[in-house]
Amino acid sequence: MGRPRTPLLDRERITATALQLVDETGDFSVPQIARRLGVQTGSVYHHVDGRDGIVELLRERVSAAIDTATLDLTPWDKAIEAWARSYRAAFAAHPRTIPLLMTSPVRAPRVLAQYERAVSLLLNAGFGRAVVMPLIVALDNLVLGSALDLAAPEAMWELTDRIPTPHLAEALAAVGEGRADSAFEVGLTAFMNHARALRDADSH
């Protein structure tokens, strides 16, 4: 018999299967991936650097949906804001990957390259070196927290008669739909205003 035209196993299929498992259950294991692909567990290890390697492949896969052209926009604040929105949309499509990715170091080359561009953008805009990483980590926290919030139920507070919460009830009724989007706009506006103030302070 000739070799199959499509290989049974490659990094692309392993990553797609891991992402499918995480989307469904919030986690994955190498034996689960092997079972889904109909191969031996050892065969999976021939293609990837263990579980950590698969986590980084997942990071690259989800991050590939971020529009990095946003980082070429001018001025700098327009670029950062557009990048944040694209970043949020990419992770909102796969929110269950977030806890997995936030608890392991970033090693994926393409993702590191994206952070390098973001850091360069802020340095070139006049930010001091000491404030760049706190800003980027704060933006990470805002974006990823909001992407998780998009996956949460629209009604996150279940009010009962046992505990009187009239002000909470009124505030919830006033929000209407799109609670997560409204909250993201508040956070992003506050972040951008703080970043502009920091840059102004650094440039004086």
Side-chain angles (χ1 to χ4, degrees):
M1 286 178 65
R3 290 169 62 88
R5 190 166 293 177
T6 306
L8 280 176
L9 211 53
D10 57 29
R11 288 159 70 92
E12 177 65 28
R13 296 188 69 198
I14 291 167
T15 307
T17 304
L19 185 57
Q20 190 178 48
L21 283 164
V22 174
D23 284 344
E24 291 169 10
T25 69
D27 204 354
F28 73 91
S29 71
V30 178
Q32 283 177 314
I33 292 171
R35 276 197 298 277
R36 286 250 172 135
L37 291 172
V39 299
Q40 297 295 316
T41 300
S43 302
V44 176
Y45 284 111
H46 287 310
H47 294 268
V48 295
D49 186 16
R51 179 182 166 86
D52 288 349
I54 296 172
V55 168
E56 286 312 288
L57 289 171
L58 285 172
R59 195 189 304 278
E60 283 208 332
R61 167 63 72 88
V62 178
S63 297
I66 302 172
D67 180 8
T68 54
T70 53
L71 292 168
D72 295 325
L73 295 173
T74 54
W76 68 270
D77 50 353
K78 183 179 177 184
I80 289 291
E81 186 171 333
W83 183 55
R85 293 184 187 284
S86 182
Y87 184 171
R88 177 180 182 244
F91 278 87
H94 302 283
R96 287 181 149 190
T97 63
I98 295 170
L100 204 61
L101 300 178
M102 285 193 81
T103 51
S104 68
V106 180
R107 300 186 189 93
R110 284 185 207 156
V111 179
L112 288 170
Q114 194 168 148
Y115 278 99
E116 174 69 11
R117 286 180 67 181
V119 168
S120 299
L121 171 69
L122 293 178
L123 289 173
N124 291 337
F127 284 87
R129 278 182 175 75
V131 303
V132 169
M133 286 316 297
L135 277 174
I136 285 178
V137 173
L139 189 61
D140 273 350
N141 293 345
L142 171 64
V143 164
L144 295 174
S146 181
L148 272 176
D149 195 21
L150 281 169
E154 183 65 29
M156 275 299 289
W157 291 264
E158 290 190 359
L159 308 187
T160 72
D161 294 335
R162 285 174 297 162
I163 302 170
T165 52
H167 293 119
L168 176 59
E170 287 173 11
L172 287 171
V175 173
E177 291 195 9
R179 172 187 57 76
D181 288 332
S182 299
F184 178 66
E185 292 304 324
V186 169
L188 187 59
T189 300
F191 173 86
M192 294 306 304
N193 287 342
H194 179 65
R196 290 184 192 103
L198 269 180
R199 178 182 172 275
D200 290 346
D202 282 339
S203 60
H204 288 137

